[in-house]
Amino acid sequence: MGDPVLVELDDDSAAPVPQDRTGPARRRWGLVLTVALVLALVVAQLVADVRERARLGALDDVPGVLDPLPVPPDVAWRLHDDATGTVQVVGSRLLEGRIAPDGAMSLAARDVTTGDVHWTTSLLDAPDAALPATVARYGLQCATGPGLPGRVACLVHDATAARTPAGGPAAAATASSAPATAARLEVVDVESGEVVAEYPAGADATGAGEAVAAAVGVTHDALVLAAPLDDGTSVRALDPTTGAQQWRVRADTGFGGGWLRWGAEARVLPVGDDAVGILGAGVVLLDTVDGSTVATAGSLATVTGTRQDGSALVVGSEGYTRLVGHDGDVRLEGTPVQVAVDDGSVPGLALTTSGGLRAWDAVTGEERWWADVPAQEALVVGTCVHVHDGFRVTTLDGRTGEVLWEATAPDLLGEDAVVTGLATDGSRLLVVASSVPASHARLVALDAAGGTEAWRTHLARLGDDSAVVAVDGVLLGFTGDDVVLLR
């Protein structure tokens, strides 16, 4: 039997405990996950910012969208005092069509940002014999389009109309008015102001020749002139480079009389690349290739303009809307809602009003949605539809018709305010309003998606009897004696 072995049992509670070797690893993984989450959020925000910049950049080519307005605009510069007749923006130039009190017509180009005058070009001299105090010249019209890049075609004529107490032209069909005896088309280079071409537009000093043109439009490959006749409209298409006549037709626009009343009896509206609308007492759509009639809209029709994508004329007639284009005639229930801006974010959308706001497919004529919302004017931006009826502003999801937010004019700008228009810079919805007692212009900018206020201004510098209108993507302020650009 061997020697005994002594065994000691250690009950010391302070004995070392085996370490959990996974603790540091878990902490490292937690840190990695936190960093990854932060990076993911940063990347997501960067992607969202890039997409938003791309969306806003794409709006540069959308007609009617304003430059960004992060703060309230103020008077940047003033237009010509008493001779500005028309205003349009071509690139970085603001073109003023001027008709002086003595009847002389001219075109001036300003820098949109600074207001600096780059050039002024005479288009028509004042008559040798001074105009009577009771009449004024009117109707200077300058048009541009894809067939005339970097240039404008200005139609000038010698018609006169009765003068209003304020000095401007009134109705043409009065005893003191006189129709035009001659007209011509002058093509002006926008960069230099040079008149690069001049084409006859009807009659001459003896009154012989073509009927006198009352309207001009620039299509993809032609300058189209429309001259009112007693029983229709004479339409001619000229080559934009040479002035050679491409075709000439008589459009059956109904009885309108021979008076030259620009904007009342004759208008030319290009429709896409392959058609042109001729407006007189009635409406006719012509093919730009040969002038053949594509469609007619009747003598009781009212054309509110063309669709923003250029695919059709928008025609209101007896409680319904027609979209008249080269590829068809789509009839919709309700009267047209004027769409001032459409960025194409809701493709094929057409809007009418009939017991509420109705949305349609412009190609098939099928109804997409209906909302119990009154509307006079609309903007379609970023899949949202913004509308107003003079009292209330409402924003809807353009895809479903769901109301996203709404506000009344008194809520936005005071109890005496009425909404007169809407505009947008892509991010904000600009509500243009006026006070009832003094017609004092007011503006408020709202977040387009949520309706929260960004800024507001009462434009006190414009004074009473003032108004603000968005024209070709710029804000113009009008007073009784002045026109200003707001930035």
Side-chain angles (χ1 to χ4, degrees), residues 81-430:
D81 290 334
D82 61 353
T84 297
T86 59
V87 173
Q88 62 181 308
V89 178
V90 179
S92 62
R93 300 281 192 267
L94 183 142
L95 303 183
E96 293 179 73
R98 298 176 176 176
I99 304 177
D102 64 1
M105 295 184 180
S106 62
L107 186 68
R110 291 177 178 264
D111 186 283
V112 171
T113 303
T114 65
D116 294 338
V117 177
H118 289 278
W119 50 259
T120 300
T121 298
S122 175
L123 300 177
L124 183 67
D125 293 334
D128 294 334
L131 291 171
T134 57
V135 302
R137 277 183 174 172
Y138 73 104
L140 171 61
Q141 181 186 169
C142 295
T144 189
L148 211 61
R151 297 176 176 181
V152 292
C154 294
L155 179 65
V156 297
H157 55 75
D158 59 355
T160 59
R163 191 185 294 271
T164 66
T174 64
S176 60
S177 301
T181 60
R184 67 175 181 266
L185 200 60
E186 301 201 14
V187 180
V188 181
D189 184 275
V190 173
E191 187 65 28
S192 66
E194 178 186 1
V195 177
V196 296
E198 184 177 305
Y199 309 129
D204 54 28
T206 66
E210 296 278 353
V212 180
V216 61
V218 181
T219 68
H220 185 70
D221 53 6
L223 309 179
V224 180
L225 294 168
L229 304 172
D230 290 336
D231 59 350
T233 303
S234 175
V235 186
R236 290 189 296 147
L238 308 181
D239 184 286
T241 303
T242 66
Q245 182 172 291
Q246 297 176 336
W247 49 261
R248 172 186 166 189
V249 299
R250 174 191 163 279
D252 188 12
T253 54
F255 295 92
W259 286 87
L260 176 55
R261 292 161 58 187
W262 172 80
E265 288 190 356
R267 290 172 63 196
V268 177
L269 291 178
V271 182
D273 294 336
D274 49 15
V276 59
I278 306 299
L279 283 60
V283 182
V284 174
L285 192 69
L286 304 179
D287 192 301
T288 56
V289 174
D290 56 9
S292 58
T293 298
V294 175
T296 61
S299 60
L300 297 178
T302 299
V303 176
T304 62
T306 59
R307 283 185 51 77
Q308 290 286 319
D309 60 6
S311 61
L313 291 172
V314 181
V315 182
S317 179
E318 300 180 323
Y320 61 88
T321 297
R322 291 172 61 186
L323 307 179
V324 183
H326 199 285
D327 297 329
D329 186 343
V330 179
R331 177 168 167 162
L332 312 173
E333 293 184 21
T335 57
V337 173
Q338 183 69 39
V339 179
V341 174
D342 187 345
D343 66 352
S345 56
V346 188
L349 180 69
L351 298 172
T352 68
T353 178
S354 176
L357 183 63
R358 306 182 73 170
W360 308 85
D361 188 297
V363 177
T364 65
E366 295 181 359
E367 188 170 21
R368 293 183 176 179
W369 48 261
W370 173 88
D372 187 15
V373 173
Q376 296 177 359
E377 178 188 14
L379 308 178
V380 183
V381 182
T383 73
C384 290
V385 174
H386 309 282
V387 299
H388 84 87
D389 68 341
F391 175 74
R392 186 180 304 274
V393 177
T394 306
T395 291
L396 309 93
D397 187 314
R399 299 159 297 187
T400 64
E402 176 189 1
V403 174
L404 301 179
W405 60 267
E406 60 183 2
T408 66
D411 289 340
L412 293 172
L413 288 163
E415 293 184 359
D416 61 348
V418 293
V419 179
T420 59
L422 301 176
T424 183
D425 65 358
S427 297
R428 286 162 288 274
L429 178 68
L430 188 65

